[in-house]
Amino acid sequence: VRPEGGPAFIDNAILGPLRSKRVAALDRIEIAFNRVGAQRPNLDALAACGLN
């Protein structure tokens, strides 16, 4: 039995929204660094997630 929604279901319904939330959180962290005068880290690579 194939999962309902096809092969893109997990990416569209679960991983995509999680990625968006992570990007928003990481942006807030980067802004906080900038506000205190620290070098703004590049945290974009941490936004991706997968399912094993």
Side-chain angles (χ1 to χ4, degrees), residues 20-43:
S20 295
K21 289 179 182 180
R22 286 180 180 186
V23 167
L26 293 169
D27 282 345
R28 289 191 300 273
I29 291 170
E30 291 175 355
I31 289 167
F33 270 82
N34 199 35
R35 283 185 181 151
V36 297
Q39 182 177 354
R40 189 172 181 158
N42 184 5
L43 303 176

